[in-house]
Amino acid sequence: MSVKFLKEKIFSRRGKSEKPKNAYIVIEDFMKLPIYFYRTIGLNPYELTGTNNKPGIGFHLLFLLHMINANMVLALEIFFVYVSFRNNENFIESCMVMSYIGFVIVGDLKIGAVLLQKQKLTNLVRQMESVFPPARQKEQEEYDVRRYLRRCLRYTKGFGGLYMTLVITYNLFAICQYSIQKWILHSPHAKQSVPYVPLTPWTWQDNWKFYPTYLSQSMAGYTATCGHISADLMIFAVAIQVIMHFDRLAKSLTEFTVRAQSEEDGAEKDLKKLQELIAYHNKILGLTDVMNEVFGLALLLNFLASSTLVCFVGFQISIGISPEMLAKLILILISANSEIYLICNFSQMLIDASGSICYAVYDMNWSEADPRFRKMLIVLALRAQKPVCLTATVFLDISIETMSIFLRMSYKFFCAIRTMYQ
């Protein structure tokens, strides 16, 4: 009994002084939500470390199944719009289906962009791992990693939850409406309908084919949603880490203690320390270059698709629709605008964080430093004056002002379609 008591005492003391390895934050904690959504459709966006993370044939077949099904539904949607315009009928429903077409195409293109940029994305993650604070309490507290992780999860969970609410609402609305009318209200007018497009090569009304058709379209909606939001979640996770590094660098510069006049070899020590901080700044800038190279196309697609989507949704709301359809359209409108706002907000935070380096240099006690030290500070400040932001390829540098540009462009499209309809 005494031996057992001593063992428990020793382990309890050891537990107080040593933290388990998983108590520290790693880069995967920032990336886990986009990785989760990608893996549910059978895709690894970058090469994961470890032998257990290598996908098997079943994983690849899952991705193939998702893509074939999503593109089959996309083809049916395009054909439905073509037939409707050719026969000059179902104009309102065609506008709704055109919104779905844009959403699925963007989801497909974002998945394709990730596949094409997989090696670059892997290199980006490896570079981020090389500068990520090590799993030691002192370093992680200096970077305040936990606070940035909480911010990251707050944005990613909120955004992911919004779009999951959107796709679940659209996937389940039709079958819930039919079930309530038929089994609860016992209405003789209860009619089966599918989530996205009524046109199929087979007859699905009032027979067993309704259920696989409904499941296929629901699955296509989930695939498009995962492809659409996972890249955005990845952008948010990478951007918040870059902001963390900029803030850490600004803090290091502000708290820099100049020793040129207080110690004999203080000037050399100051120069060595400043060179390390400049090298750190160069690494952060390198991360932003790779980040924009990897995600530039996805960002451009976001603006093009969201402006078109807001335009079509606004048009349908303006011509008068049923209350349940109005609720669904408002949910789309909120989701599309939230996506663009978050992208603009993250880019503005990057601009502010990168610009803070220049102010941190000015706040240093540089007047007592060696002349060589002061010249290096000038170079650092000049580089920091060029803002770092998210870029939608070469077409657009994103900031919070881009949100107003997006809204103006969407309104112009809306007015054009409204004029054509009248």
Side-chain angles (χ1 to χ4, degrees):
M1 181 67 70
S2 60
V3 174
K4 184 178 179 181
F5 174 80
L6 286 173
K7 285 184 178 180
E8 290 177 353
K9 193 80 171 175
I10 291 170
F11 282 118
S12 65
R13 287 180 178 176
R14 187 176 297 173
K16 291 179 181 178
S17 60
E18 297 179 6
K19 284 189 176 182
K21 191 174 182 179
N22 59 4
Y24 297 103
I25 297 169
V26 293
I27 193 172
E28 286 79 11
D29 293 326
F30 286 85
M31 315 291 276
K32 61 183 178 183
L33 196 59
I35 295 298
Y36 169 78
F37 282 124
Y38 272 127
R39 289 182 68 86
T40 58
I41 61 172
L43 177 63
N44 278 332
Y46 58 87
E47 297 294 337
L48 301 174
T49 55
T51 56
N52 295 331
N53 292 316
K54 292 183 178 179
I57 188 170
F59 191 74
H60 294 298
L61 289 175
L62 175 64
F63 176 70
L64 191 62
L65 173 65
H66 273 284
M67 297 311 298
I68 291 174
N69 177 70
N71 286 283
M72 181 188 72
V73 174
L74 174 63
L76 293 175
E77 290 172 345
I78 294 173
F79 187 67
F80 174 81
V81 172
Y82 167 75
V83 171
S84 298
F85 278 101
R86 186 188 63 185
N87 299 335
N88 197 21
E89 58 185 14
N90 299 325
F91 182 76
I92 305 301
E93 191 172 1
S94 296
C95 286
M96 192 71 182
V97 174
M98 286 171 69
S99 303
Y100 302 151
I101 290 172
F103 191 81
V104 177
I105 288 176
V106 170
D108 270 352
L109 291 175
K110 282 186 174 181
I111 290 172
V114 168
L115 290 173
L116 291 174
Q117 303 275 10
K118 189 172 184 177
Q119 189 56 51
K120 289 182 179 178
L121 185 54
T122 302
N123 293 336
L124 173 62
V125 174
R126 297 293 173 265
Q127 290 181 42
M128 291 172 60
E129 287 175 341
S130 68
V131 296
F132 195 82
R136 292 191 294 269
Q137 184 174 358
K138 181 181 177 182
E139 283 83 354
Q140 298 222 336
E141 286 180 353
E142 287 176 351
Y143 280 80
D144 204 1
V145 183
R146 196 167 298 279
R147 180 171 68 90
Y148 289 97
L149 177 61
R150 286 198 299 267
R151 286 178 64 187
C152 179
L153 294 179
R154 186 164 61 246
Y155 282 111
T156 55
K157 286 182 178 179
F159 179 71
L162 176 62
Y163 266 86
M164 283 298 106
T165 302
L166 174 69
V167 72
I168 290 170
T169 300
Y170 273 78
N171 283 351
L172 299 182
F173 181 83
I175 198 166
C176 288
Q177 186 182 46
Y178 170 74
S179 301
I180 291 172
Q181 290 177 349
K182 184 174 179 62
W183 304 110
I184 298 178
L185 302 178
H186 302 288
S187 172
H189 304 292
K191 184 180 178 182
Q192 290 180 335
S193 60
V194 286
Y196 300 110
V197 56
L199 182 64
T200 59
W202 55 86
T203 302
W204 50 264
Q205 291 89 348
D206 300 320
N207 61 63
W208 64 270
K209 295 178 184 177
F210 166 73
Y211 298 101
T213 303
Y214 199 101
L215 178 62
S216 172
Q217 294 196 15
S218 298
M219 197 168 99
Y222 178 77
T223 305
T225 303
C226 286
H228 196 90
I229 68 171
S230 296
D232 297 337
L233 295 174
M234 191 81 73
I235 292 170
F236 300 160
V238 173
I240 202 74
Q241 291 180 69
V242 173
I243 292 168
M244 176 185 71
H245 289 297
F246 274 126
D247 289 348
R248 173 57 185 160
L249 177 59
K251 183 180 178 182
S252 298
L253 290 168
T254 304
E255 297 177 351
F256 194 102
T257 302
V258 176
R259 294 169 290 182
Q261 297 183 4
S262 60
E263 297 181 17
E264 184 177 350
D265 56 347
E268 297 300 325
K269 291 179 180 178
D270 291 342
L271 286 171
K272 184 178 179 181
K273 180 64 177 177
L274 183 60
Q275 287 170 354
E276 293 175 357
L277 293 176
I278 291 175
Y280 182 39
H281 188 222
N282 291 337
K283 284 185 178 180
I284 301 172
L285 295 176
L287 284 178
T288 60
D289 291 339
V290 179
M291 176 181 66
N292 283 321
E293 187 179 356
V294 171
F295 297 117
L297 179 59
L299 290 167
L300 181 62
L301 291 171
N302 277 336
F303 280 91
L304 294 176
S306 295
S307 60
T308 307
L309 187 62
V310 169
C311 167
F312 279 118
V313 169
F315 167 72
Q316 293 170 76
I317 292 175
S318 68
I319 60 177
I321 51 176
S322 62
E324 60 271 15
M325 186 59 68
L326 177 63
K328 291 169 66 178
L329 291 176
I330 289 176
L331 188 57
I332 288 184
L333 201 61
I334 293 172
S335 301
N337 282 287
S338 298
E339 178 182 33
I340 299 302
Y341 171 75
L342 285 174
I343 291 171
C344 294
N345 185 52
F346 267 96
S347 188
Q348 187 63 47
M349 287 194 291
L350 276 172
I351 293 171
D352 295 339
S354 61
S356 67
I357 304 301
C358 189
Y359 295 107
V361 169
Y362 182 78
D363 289 338
M364 291 177 63
N365 188 22
W366 47 265
S367 59
E368 298 180 0
D370 184 83
R372 294 170 296 170
F373 186 94
R374 293 199 292 266
K375 290 179 181 179
M376 292 172 67
L377 280 182
I378 293 173
V379 175
L380 177 60
L382 287 173
R383 294 193 66 182
Q385 285 180 354
K386 183 180 179 181
V388 171
C389 64
L390 296 175
T391 59
T393 63
V394 297
F395 296 102
L396 184 65
D397 291 339
I398 302 169
S399 67
I400 200 65
E401 295 177 359
T402 313
M403 186 70 190
S404 62
I405 298 173
F406 163 76
L407 293 174
R408 287 198 300 269
M409 184 171 61
S410 300
Y411 181 72
K412 289 178 181 178
F413 284 146
F414 163 75
C415 291
I417 292 182
R418 181 72 178 175
T419 302
M420 290 171 58
Y421 178 71
Q422 291 174 343

